[in-house]
Amino acid sequence: MSKLINSIKSFRRHGTKIILTLSLVVSFILPAYAQENLWKELNDKTTTLLQEKRYADAIKSGEDALKIAKETFPPGHISIAASMNLLGILYRTYTMYDEAEPLFNQALDIYRETNGTDHPTVAYVLQELAEMFLLQDNYAKAEPLYKQSLGIYENVSGQDNPGIVNILNRLGEIYQHQEKYADAILFYKRALAIEVEIFGNDHPDVASSMNNLATLYYHNGENTKAESLYKQALEIYENEYGADHPLVATILENMAVFYEGTGKKEAAKQLHDRAKKIYSNYRK
């Protein structure tokens, strides 16, 4: 009986300490958990505001999210990288390039250290950084970043991965601006082939790519290929939007330039007049 009494007394003495210790542990865990939830809410809110093109509100939310991330997670945590990349994208939309660039680079360092150099997260940030340089017409910096990103995606998901279409088009755009038409054609052709595989032959996105590729063929002196693609793109747009839609007029104008440049003056005039009429009617 005395042993039982002594055990009860001991629990009363030491049990109180145990309960206090557990209370302290819980008091530290709950705020950290709440902080993580707060970061996630802010990050999700920032993403939504970006999608809604409410950029000023998104920047404020993104700055708050990054601040909470740095307070909540250990240095080099991927959640910090995620907030850095998102805020970098937002700064880029406001042409705040000096603020955006270090955030992209820091996010890259974290993702490379955590996930490895060939991870899709690295490719994603490389692509966003390249986009920033492209917006500044800095092709010398944009091109290698796009190529690094492309290489990672190809290694991970294959050469026909739908996720690389935008990169292929961007590289084509860079070479087109530099008048390296043969190089540009290679990338635009790859992008078009993937889009046809995804959407089929009659999708408006396919028509847009055909239009771009036709213009490159024209500049590269491949006129038969150019004319064929212009006609295919025009037919798709007319079937999708009707004969009097502004997108139809866009292709008509490109075709008019093509026919003018290849000596078909009358055909060029007819297409130009038709495009002009569409634009005029659309503005009424």
Side-chain angles (χ1 to χ4, degrees):
M1 185 69 175
S2 61
K3 287 184 178 179
L4 176 61
I5 292 171
N6 288 334
S7 296
I8 292 171
K9 287 179 179 178
S10 176
F11 176 79
R12 284 176 177 171
R13 289 196 306 271
H14 300 292
T16 302
K17 293 180 180 178
I18 293 170
I19 291 169
L20 285 172
T21 301
L22 288 172
S23 297
L24 286 171
V25 170
V26 171
S27 71
F28 282 112
I29 291 173
L30 287 179
Y33 181 76
Q35 285 282 97
E36 289 182 20
N37 277 344
L38 176 59
W39 170 79
K40 187 177 186 308
E41 288 173 7
L42 283 169
N43 215 56
D44 290 346
K45 177 184 176 183
T46 304
T47 301
T48 299
L49 290 168
L50 173 60
Q51 292 168 346
E52 294 173 351
K53 299 184 179 181
R54 295 168 56 187
Y55 300 126
D57 293 334
I59 284 176
K60 176 63 172 64
S61 178
E63 289 172 341
D64 290 343
L66 180 56
K67 180 175 182 293
I68 295 297
K70 288 181 175 179
E71 292 173 354
T72 304
F73 304 103
H77 195 278
I78 58 172
S79 296
I80 298 174
S83 282
M84 285 176 168
N85 183 63
L86 184 55
L87 188 56
I89 292 170
L90 287 163
Y91 283 151
R92 188 184 65 201
T93 64
Y94 266 61
T95 67
M96 298 167 63
Y97 302 130
D98 289 341
E99 291 81 0
E101 185 174 352
L103 289 175
F104 286 134
N105 284 323
Q106 290 173 65
L108 270 176
D109 288 342
I110 292 172
Y111 281 135
R112 282 170 172 155
E113 182 67 26
T114 305
N115 297 332
T117 57
D118 293 326
H119 195 273
T121 52
V122 173
Y124 176 59
V125 181
L126 284 168
Q127 186 177 350
E128 297 298 345
L129 182 58
E131 193 81 5
M132 186 192 75
F133 288 123
L134 182 60
L135 288 169
Q136 299 172 78
D137 296 330
N138 190 337
Y139 306 130
K141 287 189 175 181
E143 179 189 349
L145 293 171
Y146 276 127
K147 284 188 171 180
Q148 288 178 55
S149 180
L150 178 63
I152 294 170
Y153 280 132
E154 287 175 334
N155 288 336
V156 172
S157 304
Q159 301 234 342
D160 298 323
N161 168 26
I164 68 173
V165 168
N166 183 64
I167 299 176
L168 293 171
N169 281 324
R170 288 293 191 247
L171 284 166
E173 183 180 339
I174 288 171
Y175 291 128
Q176 183 175 0
H177 281 300
Q178 296 174 326
E179 299 184 359
K180 298 176 180 178
Y181 299 123
D183 292 329
I185 285 170
L186 293 175
F187 286 101
Y188 276 132
K189 278 181 68 176
R190 278 190 63 190
L192 176 59
I194 295 171
E195 287 178 320
V196 169
E197 186 67 26
I198 298 168
F199 301 119
N201 290 304
D202 300 322
H203 195 277
D205 287 353
V206 170
S208 177
S209 293
M210 286 177 172
N211 179 49
N212 292 336
L213 185 54
T215 301
L216 281 169
Y217 276 135
Y218 166 52
H219 286 304
N220 204 45
E222 300 179 70
N223 295 332
T224 302
K225 291 180 179 179
E227 184 174 19
S228 175
L229 284 175
Y230 276 134
K231 287 181 177 179
Q232 290 179 65
L234 179 61
E235 183 179 356
I236 293 170
Y237 272 156
E238 286 177 333
N239 290 338
E240 182 72 21
Y241 301 115
D244 298 319
H245 194 276
L247 286 173
V248 171
T250 299
I251 294 184
L252 290 171
E253 285 189 322
N254 288 341
M255 291 180 72
V257 171
F258 166 72
Y259 283 131
E260 182 76 26
T262 53
K264 299 177 181 179
K265 307 292 185 183
E266 185 57 35
K269 183 179 183 306
Q270 290 176 7
L271 293 173
H272 178 73
D273 289 345
R274 184 182 163 194
K276 186 177 179 181
K277 184 179 180 181
I278 292 172
Y279 286 134
S280 178
N281 290 336
Y282 195 76
R283 294 189 185 101
K284 289 180 180 178

